[in-house]
């Protein structure tokens, strides 16, 4: 194949030197201790990615506060200066292995449980999230919003002190900042809701405070460019949001889609019902005899929309045409040809993958050397459901006997 842009040649993102244009997109790893401190297991995972040729590693989301902690297994945290030395050791090892690394920071908003955080869930509006079975979240006040934006900025400063090459603000997948951006979950009529600009206000304040703390340190943002609901985010809204992000001074945008409560919209593919039964907290309250009866209903509820591959590329292309900052696209990109075509057609500046790297940490090397043209990942989503109670890995065909 002859392409003007070689995905495997060195490049840069806001001055950060990268060995190639393929990014490891943020993926929850579940490899932290009870305080959110990264473990040796996580350090080795990142080293494998770096040695396998990944151009940039973006960590799984780190919690900026106890209130914003997610309900998945052993989430990493960046809410205390005491965590900086452990993260600095990680970044040094990744750099030695040959790759840059950005930290994704997040607040879960309503997508968590009081059992996990010790506090009531919070959100832009008083709208319940059915996925977590919590009471309707507390509607944040002005003072509380300002406190959260301060916590994001403080977390970003810790990221810089820990030796990371940049920070990514998680504004996608239904977490707190996305909850403000989406007209489906933000029904406010004050300065934090209504127009695109008002819904963006919390993100703008977060970026402004973060920039004042970290200076010229790279800041990128992950957004969802679409949602299933009629009143949710559509590509046109995402386009306006992207323009506001550029105006706010971010250094790049990663384009994804959906939110957790939409089922397998953001991670399209198979329906991992066996591991859903054993690992989801709601199923533990149900008799095993009901599991087969619920399967048809659950399969319909969590059905993946079409297409199953390259499903955010069109949205990324639209955004790239409208902004002058780098655009990264993720979502069902599985072959060397699709990577090359996406980059050479000008639809994105970088591509990011998540699930394929779980099974093949050295996938970039395989593509670059021509040893493989497609990822082995079958998009079964067992890894996604396993994240509730297990560390990150491919669990397809490796479940306990009672699930088979």
């Amino acid at each position: 194949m002859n392409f003007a842009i070689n995905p495997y040649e060195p490049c840069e993102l806001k001055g950060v030197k990268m060995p190639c244009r393929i990014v490891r997109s943020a993926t929850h790893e579940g490899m932290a201790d009870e305080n959110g401190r990264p473990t040796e297991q996580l350090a080795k995972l990142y080293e494998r990615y770096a040695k396998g040729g990944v151009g940039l590693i973006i960590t799984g989301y780190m919690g900026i506060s106890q209130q914003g902690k997610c309900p998945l297994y052993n989430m990493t945290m960046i809410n205390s200066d005491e965590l900086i030395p452990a993260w600095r050791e990680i970044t040094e090892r990744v750099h030695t292995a040959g790759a840059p690394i950005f930290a994704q920071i997040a607040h879960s908003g309503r997508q968590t449980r009081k059992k996990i955080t010790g506090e009531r869930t919070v959100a832009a509006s008083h709208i319940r999230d059915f996925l977590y079975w919590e009471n309707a979240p507390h509607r944040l006040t002005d003072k509380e919003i300002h406190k959260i934006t301060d916590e994001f900025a403080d977390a970003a400063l810790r990221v810089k002190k820990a030796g990371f090459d940049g920070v990514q603000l998680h504004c996608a997948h239904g977490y707190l900042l996305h909850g403000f951006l989406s007209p489906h979950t933000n029904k406010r009529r004050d300065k934090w809701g209504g127009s695109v600009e008002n819904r963006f206000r919390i993100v703008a304040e977060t970026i402004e405070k973060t920039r004042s703390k970290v200076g010229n340190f790279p800041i990128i943002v992950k957004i969802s460019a679409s949602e299933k609901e009629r009143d949710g985010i559509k590509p046109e809204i995402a386009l306006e949001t992207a323009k506001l992000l550029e105006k706010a001074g971010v250094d790049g945008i990663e384009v994804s889609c959906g939110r957790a409560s939409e089922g397998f919209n953001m991670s399209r593919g198979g329906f991992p019902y066996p591991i859903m039964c054993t690992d989801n907290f709601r199923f533990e309250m149900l008799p095993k005899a009901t599991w087969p009866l619920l399967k048809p209903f659950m399969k319909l509820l969590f059905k993946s929309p079409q297409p199953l591959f390259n499903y955010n590329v069109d949205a990324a292309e639209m955004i790239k045409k409208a902004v002058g900052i780098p655009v990264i696209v993720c979502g069902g990109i599985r072959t060397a040809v699709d990577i090359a075509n996406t980059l050479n057609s000008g639809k994105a500046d970088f591509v990011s993958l998540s699930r394929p790297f779980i099974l093949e940490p050295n996938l970039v090397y395989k593509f670059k050397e021509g040893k493989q043209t497609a990822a082995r990942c079958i998009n079964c989503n067992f890894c996604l459901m396993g994240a509730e109670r297990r560390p990150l890995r491919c669990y397809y065909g490796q479940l306990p006997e009672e699930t088979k």
Side-chain angles (χ1 to χ4, degrees), residues 91-102:
T91 60
E92 289 174 354
R93 290 172 63 170
V94 171
H95 291 153
T96 299
I101 181 168
F102 281 25

Side-chain angles (χ1 to χ4, degrees), residues 67 120-126 135-141 144 188:
Q67 180 194 70
R120 184 179 178 183
T121 58
V122 299
S125 297
H126 198 63
N135 294 324
H138 165 65
R139 181 182 182 272
L140 288 165
T141 65
E144 291 166 336
R188 302 175 75 112

Side-chain angles (χ1 to χ4, degrees), residues 254-267:
E254 184 178 11
V255 180
S256 185
C257 68
R259 65 176 190 279
S261 59
E262 291 183 332
F264 299 105
N265 181 18
M266 61 187 187
S267 299

Side-chain angles (χ1 to χ4, degrees), residues 94-389:
V94 171
H95 291 153
T96 299
I101 181 168
F102 281 25
Q104 185 188 80
I105 58 176
H107 186 300
S108 291
R110 66 178 193 158
Q111 292 187 166
T112 188
R113 293 186 286 151
K114 184 177 181 179
K115 182 178 179 181
I116 303 298
T117 65
E119 303 179 34
R120 184 179 178 183
T121 58
V122 299
S125 297
H126 198 63
I127 301 174
R128 186 180 184 183
D129 188 297
F130 87 92
L131 193 64
Y132 293 97
W133 281 19
E134 292 287 296
N135 294 324
H138 165 65
R139 181 182 182 272
L140 288 165
T141 65
D142 284 9
K143 183 178 179 180
E144 291 166 336
I145 290 171
H146 295 316
K147 180 176 183 290
I148 289 172
T149 58
D150 284 336
E151 289 169 338
F152 266 105
D154 290 341
L157 181 58
R158 295 187 192 105
V159 165
K160 182 177 180 180
K161 289 181 177 179
F164 285 92
D165 299 284
V167 65
Q168 182 180 69
L169 304 179
H170 199 351
C171 297
H173 302 167
Y175 297 103
L176 183 75
L177 297 181
H178 176 196
F180 273 84
L181 292 174
S182 171
H184 179 72
T185 49
N186 184 349
K187 303 300 183 182
R188 302 175 75 112
R189 296 183 179 180
D190 60 4
K191 66 180 182 180
W192 307 102
S195 66
V196 173
E197 292 79 7
N198 280 357
R199 295 198 307 272
F200 183 77
R201 190 180 302 275
I202 187 174
V203 179
E205 182 173 306
T206 298
I207 294 167
E208 181 181 7
K209 289 180 176 179
T210 298
R211 185 63 77 193
S212 71
K213 292 268 188 178
V214 303
N216 199 37
F217 191 63
I219 302 171
I220 64 174
V221 173
K222 188 170 191 172
I223 64 170
S224 286
S226 63
E227 294 178 297
K228 282 183 175 181
E229 287 80 4
R230 290 183 179 179
D231 64 343
I233 291 174
K234 302 303 176 190
E236 296 74 19
I237 294 175
L239 179 63
E240 294 306 310
T241 301
K243 292 177 181 178
L244 290 170
L245 285 169
E246 181 177 32
K247 184 178 179 180
V250 304
D251 300 303
I253 301 170
E254 184 178 11
V255 180
S256 185
C257 68
R259 65 176 190 279
S261 59
E262 291 183 332
F264 299 105
N265 181 18
M266 61 187 187
S267 299
R268 301 181 187 182
F271 177 60
Y273 194 63
I275 199 168
M276 184 183 292
C277 292
T278 59
D279 285 34
N280 184 264
F281 74 96
R282 289 172 294 184
F283 275 85
E284 68 184 8
M285 298 182 286
L286 302 173
K288 288 185 179 180
T290 65
W291 293 358
L293 301 176
L294 288 171
K295 185 175 181 179
F297 169 75
M298 297 296 291
K299 189 172 184 179
L300 180 64
L301 184 65
F302 289 97
K303 183 179 179 181
S304 289
Q306 296 290 333
L308 297 180
F309 301 100
N310 305 303
Y311 43 87
N312 295 317
V313 172
D314 289 344
E317 180 182 20
M318 182 176 65
I319 290 171
K320 179 168 168 51
K321 288 179 178 178
V323 300
I325 54 177
V327 173
I328 308 167
V329 62
C330 67
I333 300 171
R334 296 292 179 267
T335 71
V337 169
D338 285 342
I339 291 171
N341 284 338
T342 298
L343 296 174
N344 281 275
S345 61
K347 295 179 179 179
D349 300 285
F350 305 90
V351 298
S352 59
L353 288 70
S354 171
R355 289 170 289 173
F357 286 131
I358 299 172
L359 185 61
E360 299 177 278
N362 60 342
L363 181 61
V364 174
Y365 172 77
K366 292 178 180 179
F367 281 173
K368 181 178 180 180
E369 297 298 316
K371 296 181 177 181
Q372 203 166 300
T373 58
R376 289 168 52 203
C377 175
I378 61 172
N379 305 322
C380 67
N381 285 322
F382 277 67
C383 57
L384 185 66
M385 291 308 305
E388 189 166 335
R389 294 188 177 179

